[in-house]
Amino acid sequence: KTGPDSLASMWTTASQRAGQRDWLAWRPRRCGSSSAEATATKTEDEGFLRWFLLLIPVTAFGLGTWQVQRRKWKLQLIAELESRVMAEPIPLPADPMELKNLEYRPVKVRGHFDHSKELYMMPRTMVDPAREAREAGRLSSAAESGAYVVTPFYCTELGITILVNRGFVPRRKVNPDTRQKGQVEGEVDLVGMVRLTETRKPFVPENNPERNHWHYRDLEAMARLTGAEPIFIDADFKSTVPGGPVGGQTRVTLRNEHLQYIITWYGLSAATSYLWCRKFVSRTPGV
């Protein structure tokens, strides 16, 4: 019996079977295409990862090379500083502009102190190379806290007043009444190192002129308060007198840690280069 309904039913069944055959025939081709696309994507990802990770050893090597150049510069700077510190004292220039290139240069002056206008840089500890060598590497120090006594000094030959860091006194001796014996009177010859003004570093408190507490060298402010020129020298150790401040409080040090930076960066470059080669060149299993 082949009525219209039967023909329609047969057509539908045949169409469904043909569709199933077409789908079955098409599905493997789709899987093959997806596999190829996945492989291509994986290859692209690995290529990107390879060159991206290569940046680590290359960058570390570049930083190590930069530290080599920095170390050469620092060693030259230290040598220049040492030669300047050990040079013979020269007369103090009267022009503050000339002093900008003379920091740590020994100079000599002649004049007298004005002890009525002392300034105190505090808290400070006394510069003592022998003690500092003994305590190197320790977490704490037994150094006594105190202050640097900065006193106006009238230079008779130049006709100007400058500021002189006479040296260290312990906290109990900050009051000048407790060290009258050390208050030098009359005209004296003095040798000291030129020091320039400082800018406040992070975490360093602000200066407090009202309390006469100075945490860093602000020469302009110190000069205004005392009527001196913004010229500052650290008196040498020979200026020390019994009962007075201990001179020679210039800390001449420059940090030179570039060698350990060189080792760190080159070591990191070597280690990451080895891992990169194992991963992308040797193809060691499991890495």
Side-chain angles (χ1 to χ4, degrees), residues 119-175:
L119 306 178
Y120 307 111
M121 298 185 66
M122 57 193 307
R124 292 292 189 273
T125 57
M126 187 169 67
V127 174
D128 184 351
R131 174 185 55 78
E132 292 171 2
R134 291 193 306 269
E135 296 179 350
R138 296 184 185 178
L139 296 178
S140 60
S141 173
E144 185 177 10
S145 178
Y148 290 164
V149 179
V150 179
T151 309
F153 184 87
Y154 179 76
C155 302
T156 53
E157 295 179 354
L158 298 176
I160 61 173
T161 299
I162 65 172
L163 297 169
V164 175
N165 173 15
R166 294 187 61 203
F168 173 84
V169 293
R171 188 176 291 273
R172 66 180 183 278
K173 292 287 186 178
V174 171
N175 188 334

Short mmCIF file of all heavy atoms in Angstrom, two decimals, residues 119-175:
data_model
loop_
_atom_site.label_atom_id
_atom_site.label_comp_id
_atom_site.label_asym_id
_atom_site.label_seq_id
_atom_site.Cartn_x
_atom_site.Cartn_y
_atom_site.Cartn_z
N LEU A 119 74.78 74.92 68.44
CA LEU A 119 73.69 74.09 67.91
C LEU A 119 74.03 72.63 68.21
O LEU A 119 75.20 72.27 68.32
CB LEU A 119 73.53 74.29 66.41
CG LEU A 119 73.34 75.73 65.91
CD1 LEU A 119 73.26 75.75 64.39
CD2 LEU A 119 72.09 76.35 66.52
N TYR A 120 72.98 71.80 68.30
CA TYR A 120 73.21 70.40 68.65
C TYR A 120 72.55 69.48 67.63
O TYR A 120 71.32 69.50 67.45
CB TYR A 120 72.66 70.10 70.06
CG TYR A 120 73.19 71.07 71.09
CD1 TYR A 120 72.35 72.01 71.69
CD2 TYR A 120 74.54 71.07 71.43
CE1 TYR A 120 72.84 72.91 72.62
CE2 TYR A 120 75.04 71.98 72.36
CZ TYR A 120 74.18 72.90 72.95
OH TYR A 120 74.68 73.80 73.86
N MET A 121 73.39 68.69 66.97
CA MET A 121 72.89 67.67 66.04
C MET A 121 72.77 66.37 66.83
O MET A 121 73.78 65.81 67.29
CB MET A 121 73.85 67.50 64.86
CG MET A 121 74.00 68.76 64.01
SD MET A 121 75.02 68.51 62.53
CE MET A 121 73.98 67.36 61.62
N MET A 122 71.54 65.90 66.97
CA MET A 122 71.30 64.74 67.82
C MET A 122 70.04 64.00 67.37
O MET A 122 69.20 64.59 66.68
CB MET A 122 71.17 65.19 69.28
CG MET A 122 70.09 66.21 69.56
SD MET A 122 70.19 66.98 71.19
CE MET A 122 70.26 65.58 72.28
N PRO A 123 69.98 62.70 67.74
CA PRO A 123 70.99 61.91 68.45
C PRO A 123 72.11 61.47 67.51
O PRO A 123 71.89 61.24 66.33
CB PRO A 123 70.19 60.72 68.95
CG PRO A 123 69.11 60.54 67.93
CD PRO A 123 68.75 61.92 67.47
N ARG A 124 73.31 61.35 68.07
CA ARG A 124 74.48 60.90 67.34
C ARG A 124 75.29 59.94 68.21
O ARG A 124 75.16 59.95 69.44
CB ARG A 124 75.38 62.08 66.93
CG ARG A 124 74.79 63.00 65.88
CD ARG A 124 74.65 62.29 64.54
NE ARG A 124 74.28 63.21 63.47
CZ ARG A 124 73.04 63.54 63.16
NH1 ARG A 124 72.04 63.03 63.87
NH2 ARG A 124 72.78 64.36 62.15
N THR A 125 76.09 59.12 67.56
CA THR A 125 77.06 58.29 68.27
C THR A 125 78.45 58.67 67.80
O THR A 125 78.63 59.16 66.68
CB THR A 125 76.82 56.79 68.02
OG1 THR A 125 76.87 56.54 66.60
CG2 THR A 125 75.48 56.34 68.57
N MET A 126 79.43 58.44 68.65
CA MET A 126 80.79 58.86 68.33
C MET A 126 81.39 57.96 67.25
O MET A 126 81.26 56.74 67.30
CB MET A 126 81.67 58.84 69.58
CG MET A 126 83.06 59.42 69.34
SD MET A 126 83.99 59.70 70.86
CE MET A 126 84.25 58.02 71.41
N VAL A 127 82.05 58.58 66.29
CA VAL A 127 82.76 57.83 65.26
C VAL A 127 84.00 57.22 65.90
O VAL A 127 84.89 57.93 66.37
CB VAL A 127 83.16 58.74 64.08
CG1 VAL A 127 84.03 57.98 63.09
CG2 VAL A 127 81.93 59.30 63.40
N ASP A 128 84.03 55.89 65.94
CA ASP A 128 85.14 55.16 66.55
C ASP A 128 85.42 53.94 65.69
O ASP A 128 84.81 52.88 65.87
CB ASP A 128 84.78 54.75 67.98
CG ASP A 128 85.94 54.08 68.71
OD1 ASP A 128 86.96 53.78 68.05
OD2 ASP A 128 85.83 53.85 69.93
N PRO A 129 86.34 54.03 64.73
CA PRO A 129 86.59 52.92 63.81
C PRO A 129 86.96 51.62 64.51
O PRO A 129 86.55 50.54 64.08
CB PRO A 129 87.75 53.43 62.95
CG PRO A 129 87.63 54.92 63.00
CD PRO A 129 87.14 55.22 64.38
N ALA A 130 87.73 51.70 65.60
CA ALA A 130 88.14 50.48 66.31
C ALA A 130 86.92 49.77 66.90
O ALA A 130 86.77 48.55 66.78
CB ALA A 130 89.14 50.83 67.40
N ARG A 131 86.04 50.53 67.55
CA ARG A 131 84.84 49.93 68.13
C ARG A 131 83.93 49.39 67.04
O ARG A 131 83.36 48.29 67.18
CB ARG A 131 84.08 50.96 68.97
CG ARG A 131 82.73 50.47 69.50
CD ARG A 131 81.97 51.56 70.21
NE ARG A 131 81.80 52.74 69.38
CZ ARG A 131 80.89 52.84 68.40
NH1 ARG A 131 80.09 51.82 68.13
NH2 ARG A 131 80.79 53.95 67.71
N GLU A 132 83.77 50.13 65.96
CA GLU A 132 82.89 49.70 64.88
C GLU A 132 83.41 48.42 64.23
O GLU A 132 82.62 47.58 63.80
CB GLU A 132 82.75 50.82 63.86
CG GLU A 132 81.98 52.02 64.40
CD GLU A 132 82.02 53.22 63.47
OE1 GLU A 132 82.61 53.09 62.37
OE2 GLU A 132 81.47 54.28 63.83
N ALA A 133 84.74 48.26 64.16
CA ALA A 133 85.31 47.03 63.61
C ALA A 133 85.03 45.85 64.53
O ALA A 133 84.72 44.74 64.07
CB ALA A 133 86.81 47.20 63.40
N ARG A 134 85.10 46.08 65.84
CA ARG A 134 84.82 45.00 66.79
C ARG A 134 83.36 44.57 66.74
O ARG A 134 83.03 43.40 66.91
CB ARG A 134 85.16 45.44 68.22
CG ARG A 134 86.64 45.61 68.50
CD ARG A 134 86.89 45.73 70.00
NE ARG A 134 86.09 46.78 70.62
CZ ARG A 134 86.50 48.04 70.75
NH1 ARG A 134 87.70 48.40 70.29
NH2 ARG A 134 85.73 48.94 71.34
N GLU A 135 82.47 45.54 66.52
CA GLU A 135 81.03 45.25 66.58
C GLU A 135 80.44 44.96 65.20
O GLU A 135 79.22 44.86 65.07
CB GLU A 135 80.30 46.44 67.20
CG GLU A 135 80.69 46.70 68.65
CD GLU A 135 79.96 47.90 69.23
OE1 GLU A 135 79.30 48.62 68.45
OE2 GLU A 135 80.04 48.10 70.46
N ALA A 136 81.28 44.83 64.20
CA ALA A 136 80.78 44.57 62.85
C ALA A 136 79.99 43.26 62.83
O ALA A 136 80.43 42.23 63.32
CB ALA A 136 81.95 44.49 61.87
N GLY A 137 78.79 43.32 62.26
CA GLY A 137 77.94 42.13 62.15
C GLY A 137 77.00 41.94 63.32
O GLY A 137 76.10 41.10 63.26
N ARG A 138 77.18 42.71 64.39
CA ARG A 138 76.28 42.58 65.53
C ARG A 138 74.96 43.30 65.26
O ARG A 138 74.92 44.29 64.54
CB ARG A 138 76.92 43.16 66.79
CG ARG A 138 78.18 42.42 67.25
CD ARG A 138 78.69 43.01 68.55
NE ARG A 138 79.95 42.41 68.97
CZ ARG A 138 80.62 42.78 70.06
NH1 ARG A 138 80.13 43.75 70.84
NH2 ARG A 138 81.76 42.19 70.37
N LEU A 139 73.90 42.78 65.88
CA LEU A 139 72.59 43.41 65.72
C LEU A 139 72.44 44.64 66.59
O LEU A 139 71.64 45.52 66.30
CB LEU A 139 71.48 42.40 66.05
CG LEU A 139 71.40 41.18 65.13
CD1 LEU A 139 70.29 40.24 65.60
CD2 LEU A 139 71.14 41.61 63.69
N SER A 140 73.20 44.71 67.68
CA SER A 140 73.11 45.86 68.58
C SER A 140 74.50 46.44 68.81
O SER A 140 75.51 45.78 68.57
CB SER A 140 72.48 45.45 69.92
OG SER A 140 73.27 44.45 70.55
N SER A 141 74.52 47.67 69.28
CA SER A 141 75.79 48.35 69.52
C SER A 141 75.79 48.93 70.93
O SER A 141 74.75 49.34 71.45
CB SER A 141 76.00 49.46 68.49
OG SER A 141 77.14 50.23 68.81
N ALA A 142 76.99 48.97 71.52
CA ALA A 142 77.13 49.52 72.87
C ALA A 142 77.51 50.99 72.83
O ALA A 142 77.87 51.56 73.87
CB ALA A 142 78.17 48.72 73.64
N ALA A 143 77.45 51.61 71.66
CA ALA A 143 77.86 53.00 71.53
C ALA A 143 76.93 53.91 72.33
O ALA A 143 75.71 53.73 72.35
CB ALA A 143 77.85 53.42 70.07
N GLU A 144 77.53 54.90 72.99
CA GLU A 144 76.76 55.85 73.79
C GLU A 144 76.16 56.92 72.89
O GLU A 144 76.79 57.41 71.96
CB GLU A 144 77.68 56.50 74.83
CG GLU A 144 76.95 57.42 75.79
CD GLU A 144 77.87 57.99 76.86
OE1 GLU A 144 79.10 57.81 76.74
OE2 GLU A 144 77.36 58.62 77.81
N SER A 145 74.92 57.28 73.19
CA SER A 145 74.24 58.30 72.40
C SER A 145 74.58 59.69 72.93
O SER A 145 74.82 59.88 74.13
CB SER A 145 72.73 58.08 72.47
OG SER A 145 72.05 59.10 71.76
N GLY A 146 74.62 60.64 72.02
CA GLY A 146 74.92 62.00 72.42
C GLY A 146 74.60 62.97 71.31
O GLY A 146 73.61 62.81 70.60
N ALA A 147 75.47 63.98 71.12
CA ALA A 147 75.21 65.02 70.13
C ALA A 147 76.52 65.53 69.56
O ALA A 147 77.59 65.40 70.17
CB ALA A 147 74.43 66.16 70.75
N TYR A 148 76.42 66.12 68.37
CA TYR A 148 77.53 66.89 67.80
C TYR A 148 77.30 68.35 68.18
O TYR A 148 76.19 68.88 68.01
CB TYR A 148 77.58 66.76 66.28
CG TYR A 148 77.99 65.40 65.78
CD1 TYR A 148 77.77 65.05 64.44
CD2 TYR A 148 78.59 64.46 66.60
CE1 TYR A 148 78.14 63.81 63.96
CE2 TYR A 148 78.97 63.22 66.13
CZ TYR A 148 78.74 62.89 64.81
OH TYR A 148 79.11 61.66 64.33
N VAL A 149 78.35 69.00 68.64
CA VAL A 149 78.27 70.41 69.03
C VAL A 149 78.74 71.26 67.86
O VAL A 149 79.90 71.21 67.46
CB VAL A 149 79.13 70.69 70.28
CG1 VAL A 149 79.06 72.18 70.64
CG2 VAL A 149 78.68 69.83 71.45
N VAL A 150 77.81 72.03 67.29
CA VAL A 150 78.11 72.91 66.16
C VAL A 150 78.18 74.34 66.67
O VAL A 150 77.20 74.86 67.23
CB VAL A 150 77.04 72.77 65.06
CG1 VAL A 150 77.36 73.71 63.89
CG2 VAL A 150 76.95 71.33 64.58
N THR A 151 79.34 74.98 66.48
CA THR A 151 79.58 76.30 67.07
C THR A 151 79.98 77.30 65.99
O THR A 151 80.82 76.99 65.14
CB THR A 151 80.70 76.21 68.12
OG1 THR A 151 80.41 75.15 69.03
CG2 THR A 151 80.83 77.52 68.88
N PRO A 152 79.39 78.50 66.00
CA PRO A 152 79.86 79.54 65.07
C PRO A 152 81.33 79.88 65.33
O PRO A 152 81.77 79.93 66.48
CB PRO A 152 78.95 80.73 65.39
CG PRO A 152 77.73 80.12 66.01
CD PRO A 152 78.22 78.94 66.78
N PHE A 153 82.06 80.10 64.24
CA PHE A 153 83.50 80.36 64.33
C PHE A 153 83.82 81.55 63.44
O PHE A 153 83.61 81.50 62.22
CB PHE A 153 84.27 79.12 63.88
CG PHE A 153 85.76 79.21 64.01
CD1 PHE A 153 86.39 78.87 65.20
CD2 PHE A 153 86.55 79.63 62.94
CE1 PHE A 153 87.78 78.95 65.32
CE2 PHE A 153 87.93 79.71 63.04
CZ PHE A 153 88.55 79.36 64.24
N TYR A 154 84.32 82.62 64.04
CA TYR A 154 84.66 83.82 63.27
C TYR A 154 86.07 83.68 62.71
O TYR A 154 87.04 83.53 63.47
CB TYR A 154 84.55 85.08 64.14
CG TYR A 154 84.91 86.34 63.38
CD1 TYR A 154 84.02 86.89 62.47
CD2 TYR A 154 86.16 86.95 63.56
CE1 TYR A 154 84.35 88.04 61.75
CE2 TYR A 154 86.49 88.10 62.85
CZ TYR A 154 85.58 88.63 61.94
OH TYR A 154 85.92 89.76 61.22
N CYS A 155 86.18 83.72 61.38
CA CYS A 155 87.48 83.60 60.71
C CYS A 155 88.08 85.00 60.58
O CYS A 155 87.57 85.84 59.83
CB CYS A 155 87.31 82.97 59.33
SG CYS A 155 86.54 81.34 59.34
N THR A 156 89.16 85.22 61.32
CA THR A 156 89.74 86.57 61.34
C THR A 156 90.34 86.96 60.00
O THR A 156 90.31 88.14 59.62
CB THR A 156 90.82 86.64 62.44
OG1 THR A 156 91.76 85.58 62.25
CG2 THR A 156 90.20 86.50 63.81
N GLU A 157 90.90 86.01 59.27
CA GLU A 157 91.55 86.34 58.00
C GLU A 157 90.52 86.59 56.90
O GLU A 157 90.78 87.38 55.98
CB GLU A 157 92.50 85.21 57.59
CG GLU A 157 93.67 85.04 58.55
CD GLU A 157 94.58 83.90 58.14
OE1 GLU A 157 94.23 83.18 57.18
OE2 GLU A 157 95.64 83.73 58.77
N LEU A 158 89.37 85.94 56.97
CA LEU A 158 88.35 86.08 55.93
C LEU A 158 87.29 87.10 56.31
O LEU A 158 86.56 87.60 55.44
CB LEU A 158 87.68 84.73 55.66
CG LEU A 158 88.60 83.62 55.12
CD1 LEU A 158 87.81 82.31 54.99
CD2 LEU A 158 89.20 84.01 53.78
N GLY A 159 87.15 87.38 57.60
CA GLY A 159 86.15 88.33 58.05
C GLY A 159 84.73 87.79 57.97
O GLY A 159 83.77 88.56 57.85
N ILE A 160 84.57 86.47 58.04
CA ILE A 160 83.24 85.86 58.00
C ILE A 160 83.11 84.86 59.14
O ILE A 160 84.11 84.41 59.72
CB ILE A 160 82.97 85.13 56.66
CG1 ILE A 160 84.00 84.00 56.45
CG2 ILE A 160 83.00 86.11 55.50
CD1 ILE A 160 83.70 83.13 55.24
N THR A 161 81.87 84.52 59.47
CA THR A 161 81.59 83.51 60.49
C THR A 161 81.09 82.25 59.81
O THR A 161 80.19 82.31 58.96
CB THR A 161 80.54 84.01 61.50
OG1 THR A 161 81.05 85.18 62.15
CG2 THR A 161 80.24 82.95 62.55
N ILE A 162 81.67 81.12 60.16
CA ILE A 162 81.26 79.84 59.59
C ILE A 162 80.75 78.95 60.73
O ILE A 162 80.78 79.34 61.91
CB ILE A 162 82.42 79.15 58.85
CG1 ILE A 162 83.53 78.77 59.84
CG2 ILE A 162 82.95 80.05 57.74
CD1 ILE A 162 84.63 77.92 59.22
N LEU A 163 80.30 77.76 60.40
CA LEU A 163 79.84 76.79 61.39
C LEU A 163 80.84 75.65 61.48
O LEU A 163 81.26 75.11 60.46
CB LEU A 163 78.46 76.25 60.99
CG LEU A 163 77.34 77.29 60.94
CD1 LEU A 163 76.09 76.71 60.28
CD2 LEU A 163 77.00 77.78 62.35
N VAL A 164 81.20 75.30 62.71
CA VAL A 164 82.19 74.24 62.93
C VAL A 164 81.58 73.16 63.81
O VAL A 164 81.08 73.45 64.91
CB VAL A 164 83.47 74.80 63.60
CG1 VAL A 164 84.43 73.65 63.92
CG2 VAL A 164 84.14 75.81 62.70
N ASN A 165 81.60 71.94 63.32
CA ASN A 165 81.22 70.79 64.15
C ASN A 165 82.42 70.44 65.00
O ASN A 165 83.37 69.80 64.53
CB ASN A 165 80.81 69.62 63.26
CG ASN A 165 80.56 68.34 64.05
OD1 ASN A 165 80.41 68.37 65.27
ND2 ASN A 165 80.52 67.21 63.36
N ARG A 166 82.39 70.85 66.26
CA ARG A 166 83.53 70.62 67.15
C ARG A 166 83.69 69.15 67.49
O ARG A 166 84.79 68.72 67.85
CB ARG A 166 83.38 71.44 68.43
CG ARG A 166 83.44 72.95 68.22
CD ARG A 166 83.44 73.65 69.56
NE ARG A 166 84.61 73.28 70.34
CZ ARG A 166 84.68 73.36 71.68
NH1 ARG A 166 83.63 73.80 72.37
NH2 ARG A 166 85.78 73.01 72.32
N GLY A 167 82.60 68.38 67.43
CA GLY A 167 82.71 66.96 67.71
C GLY A 167 81.61 66.44 68.61
O GLY A 167 80.58 67.09 68.81
N PHE A 168 81.85 65.26 69.16
CA PHE A 168 80.84 64.51 69.91
C PHE A 168 80.95 64.76 71.41
O PHE A 168 82.05 64.81 71.97
CB PHE A 168 81.00 63.02 69.64
CG PHE A 168 80.13 62.14 70.47
CD1 PHE A 168 78.81 61.88 70.10
CD2 PHE A 168 80.61 61.57 71.65
CE1 PHE A 168 78.00 61.07 70.89
CE2 PHE A 168 79.81 60.76 72.44
CZ PHE A 168 78.50 60.50 72.05
N VAL A 169 79.77 64.89 72.04
CA VAL A 169 79.68 64.88 73.50
C VAL A 169 78.57 63.91 73.89
O VAL A 169 77.56 63.81 73.18
CB VAL A 169 79.38 66.28 74.09
CG1 VAL A 169 80.54 67.23 73.86
CG2 VAL A 169 78.09 66.85 73.52
N PRO A 170 78.72 63.17 74.99
CA PRO A 170 77.62 62.30 75.44
C PRO A 170 76.43 63.14 75.88
O PRO A 170 76.55 64.34 76.14
CB PRO A 170 78.24 61.53 76.61
CG PRO A 170 79.39 62.35 77.06
CD PRO A 170 79.90 63.08 75.86
N ARG A 171 75.29 62.49 75.97
CA ARG A 171 74.06 63.23 76.27
C ARG A 171 74.15 64.01 77.58
O ARG A 171 73.61 65.11 77.69
CB ARG A 171 72.88 62.24 76.32
CG ARG A 171 71.51 62.90 76.43
CD ARG A 171 70.41 61.86 76.36
NE ARG A 171 70.33 61.27 75.04
CZ ARG A 171 69.62 61.79 74.03
NH1 ARG A 171 68.96 62.93 74.20
NH2 ARG A 171 69.59 61.18 72.86
N ARG A 172 74.84 63.46 78.55
CA ARG A 172 74.93 64.15 79.85
C ARG A 172 75.81 65.40 79.78
O ARG A 172 75.83 66.21 80.73
CB ARG A 172 75.49 63.18 80.90
CG ARG A 172 76.92 62.76 80.66
CD ARG A 172 77.42 61.80 81.73
NE ARG A 172 78.83 61.45 81.54
CZ ARG A 172 79.26 60.52 80.70
NH1 ARG A 172 78.39 59.83 79.97
NH2 ARG A 172 80.56 60.27 80.58
N LYS A 173 76.54 65.56 78.66
CA LYS A 173 77.43 66.71 78.52
C LYS A 173 76.94 67.70 77.45
O LYS A 173 77.68 68.60 77.06
CB LYS A 173 78.83 66.24 78.14
CG LYS A 173 79.56 65.47 79.23
CD LYS A 173 80.02 66.41 80.34
CE LYS A 173 80.88 65.68 81.36
NZ LYS A 173 81.37 66.60 82.42
N VAL A 174 75.71 67.54 76.99
CA VAL A 174 75.20 68.45 75.97
C VAL A 174 75.10 69.87 76.52
O VAL A 174 75.45 70.85 75.84
CB VAL A 174 73.83 67.96 75.44
CG1 VAL A 174 73.20 69.02 74.54
CG2 VAL A 174 73.99 66.65 74.68
N ASN A 175 74.65 70.01 77.73
CA ASN A 175 74.57 71.33 78.36
C ASN A 175 75.97 71.90 78.51
O ASN A 175 76.83 71.30 79.16
CB ASN A 175 73.90 71.21 79.73
CG ASN A 175 73.60 72.56 80.35
OD1 ASN A 175 74.26 73.55 80.05
ND2 ASN A 175 72.60 72.60 81.21
#
